[in-house]
Amino acid sequence: MNATHAEAGAGNSAPAISLRNIKVTFGGGAKAVEAIDRIDFDVADGEFITLIGHSGCGKSTLLRVIADIIQPTRGSVRVFGQSPDVARRKRAFSMVFQQSVLMPWATVLENVRLPFKVGPKAIRASGTSMDALDALRLVDLDGFADAKPTALSGGMRQRVAIARALVTRPRILLMDEPFGALDELVRDALNVELLKIWRQSDMTVVFVTHSLQEAVFLSQRVVVLSRRPSQVEGILEIDLPTKRTLGLKDDSRIGTEAARLRALLDAG
């Protein structure tokens, strides 16, 4: 899909994220590996967009390019019109990984407060942070503030990681397969919880998953990446109600949209 088509779904306002001609190559010479090549698309402010593709296609790599963790070999990234480096220092985005990465010796509340210890100046400058207990209430864990992570289930630990990401009130939430290690019932519950938080917050969400059904249930648009070196195979707008409840998981429209995604994946 060319850049014109990729931008069509992002609306007319300035995008939250703009990717232009992104290429990422690891290593050099005969051992060089091209992970991503010629990625172009925009993410609208307040949009929920998901990246899917075959294993190893570069989904997580692309998310890390947006997050200023990996520098692209070529191309440009803009986050609200600024470089990812500037956006990171301004705490414009937070990232949630597949593993919750909590400090086991600290309480849940102390884990959520961690961003205030590692980046207090930037957080104070933004003036938009929330109280850590309020962040725990958003993920329905305010009753576990004094618990240690080892006392929590996997799903609860991931809720803590989300609360920690939300406590700085980021404008963008980047999520790299955050529910991939969880069982289906817990995953479904967290999908609904995430959509509730998204609707309440005005955040932009970029979500990575291997699950076609999860991509359909959560997203307004899904970006399908081809096999390595990854390019945009297509961008699918999801035709589902804005408010999505757990009952929608059994709706035939989920299967229909997932089949459309699978066709794009097979083409790539």
Side-chain angles (χ1 to χ4, degrees):
M1 178 172 289
N2 62 35
T4 301
H5 288 126
E7 294 160 18
N12 297 319
S13 60
I17 301 166
S18 181
L19 303 171
R20 291 292 176 271
N21 198 30
I22 299 298
K23 180 182 181 70
V24 176
T25 302
F26 295 112
K31 294 185 178 180
V33 175
E34 289 189 6
I36 292 172
D37 188 31
R38 290 179 293 167
I39 294 284
D40 287 272
F41 64 88
D42 287 343
V43 182
D45 189 8
E47 184 176 20
F48 198 123
I49 195 166
T50 295
L51 309 179
I52 66 166
H54 297 280
S55 293
C57 77
K59 301 182 296 296
S60 295
T61 296
L62 186 57
L63 206 67
R64 283 160 171 76
V65 167
I66 298 169
D68 196 42
I69 297 171
I70 294 174
Q71 299 303 309
T73 307
R74 183 189 66 213
S76 67
V77 184
R78 308 301 288 176
V79 180
F80 293 111
Q82 301 173 320
S83 69
D85 173 61
V86 171
R88 173 179 52 79
R89 287 187 275 113
K90 288 185 174 180
R91 297 277 174 164
F93 54 76
S94 291
M95 193 160 181
V96 179
F97 299 91
Q98 183 171 2
Q99 300 299 325
S100 54
V101 198
L102 303 179
M103 299 181 297
W105 60 86
T107 66
V108 164
L109 188 61
E110 289 167 340
N111 271 283
V112 174
R113 286 175 173 162
L114 182 62
F116 297 110
K117 292 191 174 184
V118 300
K121 185 180 292 186
I123 293 171
R124 283 198 302 270
S126 71
T128 59
S129 62
M130 71 170 72
D131 182 82
L133 279 173
D134 288 338
L136 283 174
R137 289 188 189 97
L138 273 177
V139 296
D140 291 331
L141 280 181
D142 48 308
F144 294 87
D146 296 326
K148 296 290 181 65
T150 51
L152 306 180
S153 67
M156 293 170 75
R157 288 194 294 271
Q158 204 62 348
R159 285 174 186 259
V160 176
I162 293 171
R164 183 176 59 193
L166 294 174
V167 76
T168 59
R169 291 193 190 275
R171 297 178 69 185
I172 298 173
L173 186 61
L174 306 173
M175 309 189 78
D176 191 6
E177 297 190 66
F179 311 138
L182 305 176
D183 66 63
E184 187 174 357
L185 291 178
V186 174
R187 188 170 184 157
D188 285 349
L190 288 180
N191 282 174
V192 173
E193 193 72 23
L194 177 59
L195 285 178
K196 182 186 75 173
I197 292 168
W198 169 66
R199 286 195 301 268
Q200 292 173 349
S201 67
D202 296 327
M203 280 190 307
T204 302
V205 180
V206 184
F207 190 92
V208 170
T209 183
H210 279 104
S211 168
L212 301 184
Q213 287 75 21
E214 183 172 58
V216 170
F217 181 75
L218 290 173
S219 313
Q220 294 177 298
R221 289 191 300 152
V222 180
V223 178
V224 181
L225 300 180
S226 68
R227 295 181 189 274
R228 198 174 64 208
S230 184
Q231 299 180 351
V232 176
E233 188 64 36
I235 299 181
L236 183 65
E237 293 196 25
I238 302 301
D239 185 20
L240 290 174
T242 301
K243 188 172 182 180
R244 301 173 192 181
T245 62
L246 193 56
L248 188 62
K249 288 268 186 175
D250 298 322
D251 194 296
S252 62
R253 289 173 291 180
I254 294 284
T256 299
E257 297 291 318
R260 293 172 66 198
L261 287 178
R262 187 174 297 280
L264 285 173
L265 278 173
D266 291 344

